[in-house]
Amino acid sequence: MAGHRPLFHNPKNKTGHRPGQDDRTDMATQISQGQAFQDRVSQRQPLTPEQQQLLAEGSLADTAIQARPREFYAAMRHGDPIHYDAKLGSWLVTRHEDISAVQSDPVTFSVQHGYSEQQARGMRDEFEAYLREHGGGYFPDAIMSDPPYHTRVRKLMERAFTAHRVKELEPRITEVVRGVIAEAVAKGGGQCDAVKDIAIPLTIRVIVEQLGLDHGMEAQISRWSVAVTAQIGAMQTRETMLENAAQIAELQQYLIARMKACEENPGEDMISDLVHAEVTNADGTTEKLTFAEAVSLVRATLIAGNDTTATAIGNLFHVLATRPGMADLLESVVDDERQLNRFIEEHLRSAPPVRALSRMTTREVTVNGTTIPAHAHMLLVYGSGNDDESVFPEPRAFDITRPNLGRHVAFGGGPHRCIGLALARMEVKVAAREIVRQMRDIRFAIPESDIRYTRSVATHTIESLPITFEKRVG
């Protein structure tokens, strides 16, 4: 494929541990060695009556709060930073320090169990059975696992997304991004849907090219992406779960066919790299990924490689249309690589595409003075952590001179820090550069109150964003 470079080269690691093996002995050993979670208690702040009512009656499951969550986040951070959301049945971790501490301790706070609990929440057995019958099998997400198994998989995947390798892809990705935006501009009339005409097709075309999939599938892959991310959004009814499961089954059947073809005739693409990759175990023996592991990783790369990045680009259009001076600021830094990178980091801090991700406690634990029982579901609320005033003064101000920009948690942290963050940063940066070079005077074509967000606790995604703009000449 044009612009693709082989990304996997006989990756090695130290264990052949697979999902489903019991890590409790490993966890108990680490805890007994003094590596257990250490609690720190923050000072609570007095809440206004309105904030008290918001905490008593509000929920992250509420559509209105999902669309505009800042006040809810602030009330939790200030008065109840480890807040039990009864409607979700989840503990919400909202302060930056607590989020960082939790995600740095995969022994006490399990990603594997948290993700498993969140997937098709309340309907997991039926969801799994549907995929086994119609989708070629049920393939647990290998990357959403715990050490030591996770270490093996992550080392494999990290080779695909190093900053150096991603930098080599930038010229080709710039061509793709430039072309998508030019197509939207050329439609005429100075109008388009910034999400459906630019953000989604842009990110899908990039990842499709890297995986070696068929072009012209933007609408189909967009449907598949919505279906997959809905499984961790906690907003499905049984009817929508089955509809989404049908989409995922179609996705898996498509990927399985492509993967089998790559087994027979490997190409210069990431799917070929994955299905032929080998790992080295602690005893020196080598083994390939199982086919189930490879399916889960290809599926994760396709979905994560476009969905959250498209959300970040959609959010960028929203910011350019609503925040005075933002377009001028972007235009002033667009030719300065360092300053443009800082602009993108502040954008990711200010409007993170991922709202919250799951953990599950493996034992009773106290976090910021709040005792959470064993086997409790948690959500690390990244959108709130990035607004924490104790870390980012005046968090609603857009300030690219912040000395601690790199501390934002838009990409998570700890051993599960987003593997594809270098690619995501670069795509958003290239998109920002091309937007300001091809478009100006970006405005909403509908009232801001009419903008709709995907119902999800996992992401803060604009579904559609009709805009008007002027074509930039010269």
Side-chain angles (χ1 to χ4, degrees):
M1 303 295 295
H4 176 81
R5 301 176 70 91
L7 299 179
F8 295 91
H9 301 283
N10 190 27
K12 299 180 179 181
N13 84 318
K14 299 180 180 179
T15 176
H17 188 82
R18 299 192 183 284
Q21 291 184 347
D22 195 345
D23 290 332
R24 292 179 186 174
T25 301
D26 211 43
M27 291 177 179
T29 300
Q30 293 185 48
I31 291 171
S32 70
Q33 292 173 346
Q35 298 176 23
F37 179 80
Q38 300 296 314
D39 187 38
R40 297 179 65 179
V41 180
S42 65
Q43 183 177 358
R44 275 39 171 185
Q45 300 178 27
L47 300 182
T48 66
E50 291 78 15
Q51 288 177 317
Q52 293 174 10
Q53 182 178 8
L54 190 57
L55 283 186
E57 300 176 3
S59 168
L60 199 55
D62 297 341
T63 303
I65 287 178
Q66 287 180 2
R68 293 168 182 82
R70 303 292 179 187
E71 292 183 7
F72 187 54
Y73 290 168
M76 289 190 289
R77 276 197 314 277
H78 298 162
D80 192 17
I82 313 297
H83 176 72
Y84 184 70
D85 190 318
K87 195 169 182 179
L88 284 174
S90 298
W91 296 86
L92 308 186
V93 182
T94 60
R95 291 181 69 253
H96 186 281
E97 182 180 10
D98 300 329
I99 290 169
S100 298
V102 167
Q103 63 191 4
S104 296
D105 183 0
V107 174
T108 307
F109 307 99
S110 168
V111 166
Q112 182 172 329
H113 295 298
Y115 185 84
S116 178
E117 171 71 15
Q118 185 80 343
Q119 189 180 51
R121 201 163 186 189
M123 299 170 281
R124 168 70 181 275
D125 290 344
E126 188 173 11
F127 172 72
E128 183 175 334
Y130 187 97
L131 292 183
R132 291 190 187 280
E133 182 177 355
H134 303 286
Y138 175 73
F139 308 105
D141 284 271
I143 198 64
M144 302 304 290
S145 55
D146 296 325
Y149 172 77
H150 174 263
T151 306
R152 166 183 179 261
V153 174
R154 185 175 181 93
K155 284 184 176 179
L156 171 67
M157 295 297 289
E158 279 179 338
R159 293 173 179 266
F161 295 108
T162 65
H164 175 70
R165 292 186 183 279
V166 169
K167 186 66 177 176
E168 292 180 327
L169 300 173
E170 184 167 351
R172 174 56 189 156
I173 290 176
T174 298
E175 291 180 25
V176 172
V177 172
R178 182 176 296 144
V180 170
I181 295 177
E183 288 174 14
V185 170
K187 285 184 177 180
Q191 296 188 15
C192 73
D193 189 314
V195 169
K196 295 182 178 180
D197 294 334
I198 296 177
I200 290 175
L202 180 162
T203 54
I204 287 177
R205 288 186 197 180
V206 169
I207 199 64
V208 160
E209 188 164 288
Q210 293 305 303
L211 286 168
L213 300 178
D214 297 311
H215 289 272
M217 296 181 63
E218 286 89 351
Q220 200 167 8
I221 292 175
S222 180
R223 289 198 305 273
W224 291 341
S225 299
V226 169
V228 171
T229 55
Q231 302 314 310
I232 59 171
M235 294 290 105
Q236 295 183 114
T237 63
R238 180 176 180 272
E239 180 181 6
T240 56
M241 183 277 290
L242 290 173
E243 291 172 354
N244 288 327
Q247 291 291 330
I248 297 170
E250 182 181 78
L251 162 64
Q252 290 186 175
Q253 294 287 10
Y254 172 76
L255 292 180
I256 289 168
R258 295 306 298 255
M259 291 171 67
K260 288 182 175 177
C262 289
E263 280 186 321
E264 296 295 325
N265 297 292
E268 294 289 310
D269 55 70
M270 290 174 66
I271 290 181
S272 297
D273 293 335
L274 275 170
V275 299
H276 290 280
E278 291 184 342
V279 293
T280 300
N281 299 321
D283 60 3
T285 60
T286 60
E287 63 177 326
K288 293 177 63 175
L289 288 169
T290 68
F291 193 75
E293 287 172 328
V295 172
S296 82
L297 293 175
V298 172
R299 182 185 61 206
T301 302
L302 174 62
I303 303 305
N306 84 83
D307 186 76
T308 53
T309 308
T311 294
I313 294 170
N315 290 345
L316 176 60
F317 274 104
H318 186 281
V319 165
L320 292 174
T322 55
R323 300 191 69 158
M326 286 294 293
D328 290 339
L329 175 60
L330 176 55
E331 187 172 353
S332 73
V333 302
V334 73
D335 294 318
D336 184 326
E337 185 78 2
R338 181 177 178 274
Q339 293 302 312
L340 180 57
N341 286 336
R342 295 188 66 83
F343 180 99
I344 298 307
E345 288 304 297
E346 178 68 344
H347 170 59
L348 292 168
R349 182 203 66 80
S350 178
V354 176
R355 184 201 307 278
L357 290 180
S358 299
R359 297 293 190 273
M360 180 174 282
T361 55
T362 59
R363 61 180 177 89
E364 183 180 281
V365 62
T366 299
V367 183
N368 202 339
T370 298
T371 299
I372 303 174
H375 314 302
H377 187 264
M378 306 169 69
L379 286 171
L380 307 187
V381 188
Y382 298 131
S384 178
N386 279 356
D387 258 9
D388 191 335
E389 303 89 338
S390 68
V391 179
F392 304 107
E394 297 185 56
R396 287 297 84 210
F398 194 94
D399 182 5
I400 67 173
T401 68
R402 292 184 190 276
N404 61 348
L405 272 181
R407 291 190 63 191
H408 71 72
V409 288
F411 294 114
H416 287 87
R417 185 167 169 81
C418 175
I419 289 176
L421 62 87
L423 180 61
R425 279 184 174 124
M426 190 262 284
E427 285 187 61
V428 179
K429 178 189 72 175
V430 171
R433 182 186 292 141
E434 289 304 317
I435 289 168
V436 80
R437 286 177 175 174
Q438 298 192 47
M439 309 169 83
R440 62 181 303 274
D441 196 22
I442 296 170
R443 302 173 183 266
F444 293 146
I446 59 174
E448 187 174 3
S449 59
D450 287 350
I451 295 172
R452 295 292 175 262
Y453 292 81
T454 300
R455 291 201 66 204
S456 174
V457 301
T459 62
H460 193 223
T461 302
I462 300 171
E463 292 184 341
S464 173
L465 191 62
I467 61 169
T468 64
F469 59 89
E470 292 183 18
K471 179 179 179 180
R472 190 177 291 274
V473 179

